[in-house]
Amino acid sequence: AVASGDNGLTWTIKPIPGSTSGGSDPSVAIDAASRVYFGYADGDTKAVVSTSTNHGDTWSQPLDVGAAFGLNNIAYPTFVAGDAGRAAMAFFGTPATG
C-alpha cells in the first residue's frame, strides 16, 4: 500500500506483511472510525483483506476471505465501508486452478 499525509505531494510505501504482488488493482475503503480496509487479489489467486487502524503504518495479517468457498482465482476486488467496523468486499472468483 502507499499513503500520503500531505494531499499527494509525497507518498510513502507501507508494505502489508505476508502479501504477494499480483497484476490486479487493489481496492481501499475507510469506515466511520477511520479503519482502512485493503482488499486485493493476493498473487492473483486469493481474495484477501488486511486492515489498519493507524493510517497504514501497521496492517493486520492478511485474511483469505475466499478460502471457505474454495476459491483459487479471483479478479476485480472491490471494497466499501460505512459505520465503524462495517465493510464489504466483492470480487469475481472461481474454484478452478490455472
Side-chain angles (χ1 to χ4, degrees), residues 1-2 25-30 35-40 59 77-81:
V2 294
D25 292 330
S27 181
V28 177
I30 304 170
R35 179 182 302 256
V36 179
Y37 298 83
F38 192 85
Y40 57 101
W59 293 93
T78 302
F79 235 106
V80 295

Side-chain angles (χ1 to χ4, degrees), residues 54-76:
N54 56 11
H55 309 285
D57 289 334
T58 59
W59 293 93
S60 67
Q61 284 297 313
L63 174 65
D64 183 350
V65 296
F69 305 102
L71 300 178
N72 297 312
N73 289 301
I74 72 114
Y76 307 112

Side-chain angles (χ1 to χ4, degrees), residues 16-61:
I16 297 174
S19 64
T20 304
S21 63
S24 68
D25 292 330
S27 181
V28 177
I30 304 170
D31 73 13
S34 298
R35 179 182 302 256
V36 179
Y37 298 83
F38 192 85
Y40 57 101
D42 192 51
D44 291 332
T45 60
K46 300 175 185 170
V48 177
V49 177
S50 192
T51 62
S52 176
T53 57
N54 56 11
H55 309 285
D57 289 334
T58 59
W59 293 93
S60 67
Q61 284 297 313

